[in-house]
Amino acid sequence: MTESLNRIRAFLADREPPTPCLVVDTDLVAARTAAVAAAFPDALIRYAVKANPAPEVLDAVLSAGAGFDVAGTGEIELCLSRGAEAAELAYGNTIKKPSDIAFAYTRGVREFTTDSAGDLANLAEYAPGSLVSIRLLLTGGPDSVTPFGHKFGCEPSVAATLLRQAVDAGLRPGIAFHVGSQQPDPAAWEIGVATAAKVAADAGVGLARLNIGGGFATGHREPVPSLADYAAVIHAALGEHLPGPGPELLLEPGRVIVADAGLIRTEVVLVTTRAATDERRWVYLDVGRYNGMAECENEAVAYRLEPVGVKGPEGPVVLAGPTCDGDDVLYQRTPCALPMSLRAGDLLDIPGTGAYTASYSSVAFNGIEPLRTYCVGRFADAG
Ligand SMILES: Cc1ncc(COP(=O)(O)O)c(C=O)c1O
């Protein structure tokens, strides 16, 4: 990772691109993809494009032999345009129009996820014979940092019914779950695997697929389990609950492949105090919740902050973005300290920001352009 950061910082020093910007090391993306494949040698790896859809990132993922988890027609087009085979795509979004399904099927996509009778009926009609995994709603497990709530997945009894309906409709049946993104507890997958095995047994259906989603966490201020730690728990759960020649395993990792490969450089716009009784300075950056730092919503992800060339004693700060929106505050409860000498015009680096930053960035809120992405490494010029 040091090598990767050195490459990114050398690019920033050499090119001095306008801030804010995200720089992604594509060599690390390829290496992380390979590391996931090595930890799960019998699984299909489908990188979740939503984490970072930069063409160079997709090229790096492809070079490491993985395919893609796509959320919609635009991502299908993008992946195919980078040379992915349709057979390497899994349409993981359970919310789709019949026209989206028909488009995907026409393009050759044959793997989908669903969690409702309506969508299942559409899949049977517009994607006949496809592999369709029923997404489970997992409740009562450990919380992830950015959970999905109740938006996706169905309860086990509903899933068992949908599984049987899928078979009756001539579809190849599977089960999917996602334990929530940035999930620091490997035990969450144990619950998912056990629930999937029970649902399949209750439905009396042999599974063609078990899709265990993404969710693998990356370290920011706190350490997280390694890929080997996650793999050990997941393989033990599979051995216990789905022994023998079980379903083919599929993973949809996003964050763990690209987060550490990215670094955002931002400029300090203003440093001020807001109340005589509050010693904390307010530090306003040119990056905020609408142009890259979306995962600071509810202060979910606590990124590290590294001043560039500014040193000396530190004091507490509240960190905020540049827009006129009152919610565009990054951290006011999460402790943050920056040098007392920090001034407008100084630069900060925010490492670990390759995932869910540029892809969440708005187009022109307050007239601010989306976060620009630059790539370094072997795949940098492919875009
Ligand atoms: C269906 C699906 N699969 C995979 C992912 C990727 O998850 P992560 O980035 O936590 O690995 C997501 C993230 O939102 C998702 O919605």
Side-chain angles (χ1 to χ4, degrees), residues 98-125:
S99 57
D100 299 331
I101 299 170
F103 177 91
Y105 189 79
T106 311
R107 290 306 174 120
V109 178
R110 294 289 181 272
E111 173 144 15
F112 299 83
T113 302
T114 191
D115 57 7
S116 65
D119 189 51
L120 181 61
N122 288 337
L123 286 164
E125 183 170 353

Side-chain angles (χ1 to χ4, degrees), residues 281-354:
R281 293 158 296 155
W282 279 71
V283 173
Y284 297 84
L285 306 176
D286 63 3
V287 73
R289 288 222 353 233
Y290 302 100
N291 61 338
M293 307 301 282
E295 291 204 316
C296 289
E297 183 178 2
N298 298 323
E299 310 195 18
V301 176
Y303 296 109
R304 296 192 307 282
L305 306 168
E306 297 179 357
V308 181
V310 187
K311 294 193 169 38
E314 295 189 338
V317 298
V318 172
L319 211 64
T323 67
C324 294
D325 189 281
D327 287 331
D328 190 9
V329 176
L330 306 183
Y331 302 119
Q332 44 190 339
R333 298 187 308 276
T334 306
C336 290
L338 288 171
M340 295 303 293
S341 60
L342 193 78
R343 297 284 177 269
D346 288 339
L347 299 174
L348 291 183
D349 283 347
I350 313 177
T353 41

Side-chain angles (χ1 to χ4, degrees), residues 48 50 69 92 135 148 178 181-182 213-216 252-255 356:
K50 59 182 81 73
D69 157 42
R135 180 162 169 176
F148 292 108
H178 195 302
S181 199
Q182 188 73 0
F216 309 101
E252 297 174 345
R255 186 184 302 277
Y356 303 112

